[in-house]
Amino acid sequence: MTVEALTDRDGKQANTSLKKEEMLRHESFPPNDGDQYYELPPAGSTPTRVTEQAVERALFSLSVKKAPGPDKLSFGAIRLLWKWDKERIVRQMRAAIRMGRHPAVWKRASGVVIHKPGKDDYTKLMAYRSISLLSCMGKVVEKVAAELLSEEAERRGLLSDGQFGSRKGPSAIDAAAIMVDRAHAAWTNGHSTGVLLMDIKSAFPSVAKGRLVNLMEVREMDGDLVRWTESFLLERTVEMIIEGNAMDRHPVEAGVQRGSPVSPILFAIYTSGLIKWVEEYLSEAKGLSFVDYLGWVATGSDVNHVVSIPDRCAATSIEWASR
């Protein structure tokens, strides 16, 4: 695949391989623009829930067709190891959670740059995206952690009722059905309905480590999970693969890793306060979200008033994000 000379949103151009690599890397793995201070909590009790069944469920839910990361260890090879010595893998998973440590070798990513299909102009930066190839063994731990984090978030009522996706059960179809049902109910009563759809820009890459860890601690999530999450987010690196060539490795300063099984639930926790925040300020609005897509619904008898509510939802959402 050939990457053309690139132009970013500000009109800046990149003609050499190094300049193109820098531009693509900063788009997929943006720098950290400031973060919150946090302190880590004491150890928790999560390792007792890292059972053989949980690890097996995580391992065999991950497709053997997935490409391995820089270490070249595939899911197929790990499944063979599971047959021979499953206890070794279980101990490794349990130790990672107990120690609150995600080993550095599992935090080395390869960012393979590909075309977005159907784009008219491949000189534009937005016509490309990168796929992160991560360690398969690391992904097994991340899958186990994702299940534990999801259970913890549900148990503590951390997620909003309007959050769909990144959690067990609710789907995008459910979110759409609820939105349609609210509109039909309003129409039945002779009222109007206003809907505003929003997209959280650069969702996963924009997650700030300190803010996420601090939020998890404030919400009193299990100490082992908080400490493991902090380690998962620290000291990550990426080498961009452009036109088949591996470029120099660079640190990843912010965000949760695209392609990681644990990133969706971490992003859901990170944005868990958004809908509640907006609905507290605007009781007439109801929010729905599916991962990084937001929908605000307002109903009423006055069309002008109904139209104004989603606009205020947008402004309040931006205010929440800038805190």
Side-chain angles (χ1 to χ4, degrees):
M1 183 199 76
T2 300
V3 177
E4 308 289 344
L6 296 177
T7 304
D8 67 10
R9 298 182 185 89
D10 300 322
K12 183 179 178 181
Q13 292 189 331
N15 298 305
T16 68
S17 294
L18 289 177
K19 290 294 184 181
K20 287 188 280 187
E21 184 273 344
E22 182 180 19
M23 187 177 285
L24 288 161
R25 174 165 47 84
H26 282 183
E27 179 68 21
S28 297
F29 306 94
N32 189 356
D33 293 328
D35 209 343
Q36 288 185 3
Y37 170 79
Y38 63 89
E39 293 182 357
L40 291 177
S45 58
T46 299
T48 58
R49 291 152 56 197
V50 182
T51 62
E52 179 182 312
Q53 292 76 20
V55 177
E56 182 174 32
R57 188 164 56 246
L59 173 57
F60 285 86
S61 69
L62 297 164
S63 173
V64 295
K65 296 180 181 180
K66 293 287 186 181
D71 60 11
K72 307 303 182 185
L73 182 64
S74 68
F75 285 121
I78 298 172
R79 288 189 184 187
L80 285 175
L81 177 58
W82 180 264
K83 292 180 179 179
W84 298 329
D85 195 356
K86 65 178 69 175
E87 183 55 36
R88 181 186 295 270
I89 298 178
V90 174
R91 286 199 305 269
Q92 192 175 37
M93 305 294 111
R94 194 174 289 147
I97 300 297
R98 185 185 71 250
M99 297 172 66
R101 182 155 182 81
H102 198 63
V105 70
W106 294 345
K107 294 187 281 189
R108 295 167 58 87
S110 295
V112 181
V113 177
I114 63 172
H115 292 125
K116 291 181 180 178
K119 296 296 181 179
D120 295 328
D121 186 355
Y122 284 99
T123 66
K124 301 297 185 184
L125 178 63
M126 296 304 295
Y128 298 85
R129 68 185 183 95
S130 67
I131 298 175
S132 292
L133 302 183
L134 307 169
S135 165
C136 291
M137 187 66 83
K139 279 188 174 182
V140 179
V141 181
E142 293 157 27
K143 185 73 172 181
V144 171
E147 185 171 312
L148 295 170
L149 284 162
S150 181
E151 291 172 355
E152 181 85 353
E154 297 290 355
R155 183 171 66 87
R156 294 188 176 277
L158 209 62
L159 306 180
S160 166
D161 291 340
Q163 280 185 279
F164 295 77
S166 306
R167 61 196 300 190
K168 291 182 179 179
S171 67
I173 295 174
D174 295 319
I178 289 174
M179 186 174 291
V180 171
D181 183 67
R182 288 177 180 171
H184 284 173
W187 297 341
T188 299
N189 293 322
H191 290 173
S192 299
T193 301
V195 175
L196 174 67
L197 301 179
M198 302 177 67
D199 179 13
I200 300 177
K201 179 183 174 183
S202 301
F204 284 12
S206 68
V207 172
K209 168 180 60 68
R211 182 171 178 173
L212 173 59
V213 173
N214 187 59
L215 173 63
M216 294 173 70
E217 185 177 6
V218 168
R219 297 296 183 88
E220 299 182 339
M221 296 190 73
D222 184 272
D224 292 325
L225 292 176
V226 177
R227 286 145 53 95
W228 179 88
T229 298
E230 192 247 5
S231 177
F232 168 74
L233 296 172
L234 278 177
E235 299 173 350
R236 293 185 293 117
T237 63
V238 63
E239 60 174 1
M240 302 299 289
I241 311 294
I242 301 176
E243 298 174 344
N245 299 312
M247 311 300 283
D248 289 342
R249 187 165 289 278
H250 293 271
V252 177
E253 299 177 5
V256 290
Q257 195 78 50
R258 286 193 185 102
S260 168
V262 78
S263 292
I265 183 61
L266 289 178
F267 182 74
I269 293 170
Y270 186 71
T271 57
S272 59
L274 172 55
I275 290 178
K276 295 176 183 178
W277 170 278
V278 174
E279 289 181 346
E280 277 185 14
Y281 278 82
L282 298 164
S283 58
E284 301 155 294
K286 294 297 179 183
L288 295 167
S289 71
F290 187 82
V291 192
D292 57 343
Y293 295 102
L294 287 170
W296 301 108
V297 184
T299 61
S301 56
D302 186 327
V303 173
N304 291 328
H305 182 63
V306 168
V307 169
S308 72
I309 295 172
D311 286 340
R312 291 157 62 196
C313 288
T316 308
S317 299
I318 294 170
E319 179 186 346
W320 176 88
S322 62
R323 290 182 305 141

